[in-house]
Amino acid sequence: MKTDQSQSLFARAQQLIPGGVNSPVRACKSVGCDPLFVKKAAGSKIQDVDGNEFLDFVCSWGPMILGHNHPAVVEAIEKTLRDGTSFGAPCPLEVELAELVINALPSVEKVRFVSSGTEATMSAIRLARGYTGRNVVVKFDGCYHGHADSFLVKAGSGVITLGIPGSPGVPADIVKNTISIPYNNPEILEKTLRDTKLDIACVIIEPVAGNMGVVAPNPGFLQTLRTLTTELGIVLIFDEVITGLRLALGGAQEYYGVMPDLTCLGKIIGGGLPVGAYGGTRELMDTISPVGPVYQAGTLSGNPLAMAAGAATMRQLAQPGFYAALEEKSARFAQGMTMLAEKYLPGQTTLNRVGSMMTAFFTSGPVVDFDSAMQADTARYGQHFRQMQEQGIWLAPSQFEALFISAAQSEGELATALEKTECSFKKLAK
Ligand SMILES: *Cc1c(COP(=O)(O)O)cnc(C)c1O
């Protein structure tokens, strides 16, 4: 595989941009190579600056559920573009997308648009704190909620890890108000939430974790969380930045039938443009300015181009049978992966899948939380990543990320991806 152009761009980028990348997940350090620079993408394929073509399983880390440059999305952006790119005043497309979101997400009665998932989650916890008058945020080890200070708490092991700054620059004074507990552990959850000394405003969770690799909630875990938070008057926030519009049009809340008080959205909702959103009950959302006292604002929030891309994407997702087809394709692909893993790497892999998001962990498993995810053999994943890239398959450059199936991938392409996986697993088994 020729990589001259990427190499020369990466050398230049490293002089100009920290690590040569504008988001650290794009660096390929953990898989032992350098990032490829992308020239363009269409449908299921992504092409680098050296002309190599790849079948894309990253989907821009989630957003591109329709594949790249879907004609309906491109058309909506082009049409909107001619009338201007930003007004700093309300525009009709905001109302349109708000209506689509509220109709789709069962627990959302009002929604506020922002420009990233990070903005959505940081605004949601401010709202929860403002509404309850309490300070502490409970999160789960291995869940990612964007890069705001409050969430960068070292995913510590053990009971009730009281905030230790996970990054220099995050004041201890801020993270002392964050408690991180293990995913899928109802006993520690209940003990933590019932501790009245803790002053808990909210619990935030990825209803299916996607940022320690894919980890599904154990049966009943989300229900327990809902029951406890309701009883104790704690705001329950579902961070559906990945799962919203991914598992179903109504996200994980529809998929599992558990309703949060607040929902955070991002990724797919922008159809490839920068959009985030948070929404919930009318009562909670009317605590936000200008109706209520909790302040949150944004110069480019509700940007017309981004709203147009989001609305066009949601209309495609709303077509009958969309999610059933995606589920069928994903299930067949996962079945193929499982068979290959059992044949070549017996007892050494665990496939976690919910809908069109999945992770093949190189560990005997089961993988149910951060600690079990950390058992995975990352060197082996690195080798797998490089072997797949050589064969034209674009995977996330980390063991602890999701593989996404998109509507643009054909059955034939997925079968080809399984053939390449077989080649890679054979080599790994040696
Ligand atoms: C990606 C992600 C975020 C952050 O969104 P950005 O748009 O990258 O700021 C928050 N929560 C979850 C679950 C995510 O996967």
Side-chain angles (χ1 to χ4, degrees), residues 294-375:
V294 175
Y295 195 71
Q296 182 270 312
T299 301
L300 291 172
S301 295
N303 174 270
L305 291 182
M307 297 292 106
T313 298
M314 282 198 73
R315 275 197 217 93
Q316 294 297 314
L317 301 178
Q319 289 183 4
F322 179 88
Y323 288 97
L326 196 59
E327 165 62 26
E328 203 185 301
K329 233 166 42 170
S330 307
R332 195 164 321 139
F333 182 72
Q335 216 170 41
M337 287 270 279
T338 304
M339 274 167 52
L340 293 174
E342 277 166 8
K343 184 167 172 195
Y344 296 101
L345 303 164
Q348 300 163 61
T349 59
T350 303
L351 187 81
N352 282 0
R353 177 184 78 92
V354 182
S356 55
M357 52 194 286
M358 66 186 83
T359 300
F361 291 94
F362 289 109
T363 174
S364 58
V367 178
V368 296
D369 58 12
F370 182 70
D371 287 345
S372 45
M374 288 302 121
Q375 299 307 309

Side-chain angles (χ1 to χ4, degrees), residues 112-346:
R112 171 64 67 81
F113 292 114
V114 291
S115 300
S116 68
T118 294
E119 267 190 274
T121 53
M122 65 184 241
S123 307
I125 61 164
R126 181 182 302 145
L127 170 55
R129 284 166 161 164
Y131 178 80
T132 58
R134 301 183 214 139
N135 283 324
V136 168
V137 173
V138 174
K139 70 175 280 288
F140 294 87
D141 300 346
C143 283
Y144 179 69
H145 303 294
H147 67 85
D149 284 355
S150 300
F151 300 122
L152 293 183
V153 172
K154 196 177 253 174
S157 57
V159 187
I160 311 175
T161 307
L162 267 164
I164 307 152
S167 163
V170 176
D173 264 2
I174 289 179
V175 293
K176 75 168 196 273
N177 289 314
T178 301
I179 295 172
S180 192
I181 60 175
Y183 203 84
N184 274 331
N185 187 320
E187 290 79 30
I188 294 174
L189 174 68
E190 176 155 14
K191 189 161 165 265
T192 307
L193 297 194
R194 286 200 186 281
D195 187 341
T196 48
K197 291 189 298 296
L198 290 179
D199 192 38
I200 297 171
C202 61
V203 178
I204 184 164
I205 188 168
E206 289 181 73
V208 173
N211 286 288
M212 49 178 148
V214 172
V215 175
N218 284 341
F221 185 64
L222 295 176
Q223 283 84 352
T224 302
L225 179 56
R226 177 67 282 182
T227 306
L228 281 168
T229 46
T230 301
E231 183 198 327
L232 298 163
I234 294 168
V235 176
L236 176 58
I237 306 172
F238 276 6
D239 180 350
E240 297 226 40
V241 170
I242 288 180
T243 54
L245 316 183
R246 165 66 61 184
L247 299 183
L249 197 61
Q253 53 199 265
E254 177 191 325
Y255 192 90
Y256 291 106
V258 179
M259 297 304 137
D261 302 305
L262 287 175
T263 301
C264 300
L265 296 166
K267 299 196 168 116
I268 295 175
I269 199 187
L273 270 72
V275 184
Y278 63 107
T281 59
R282 217 166 268 119
E283 187 191 345
L284 265 163
M285 292 305 288
D286 281 343
T287 312
I288 300 162
S289 62
V291 186
V294 175
Y295 195 71
Q296 182 270 312
T299 301
L300 291 172
S301 295
N303 174 270
L305 291 182
M307 297 292 106
T313 298
M314 282 198 73
R315 275 197 217 93
Q316 294 297 314
L317 301 178
Q319 289 183 4
F322 179 88
Y323 288 97
L326 196 59
E327 165 62 26
E328 203 185 301
K329 233 166 42 170
S330 307
R332 195 164 321 139
F333 182 72
Q335 216 170 41
M337 287 270 279
T338 304
M339 274 167 52
L340 293 174
E342 277 166 8
K343 184 167 172 195
Y344 296 101
L345 303 164

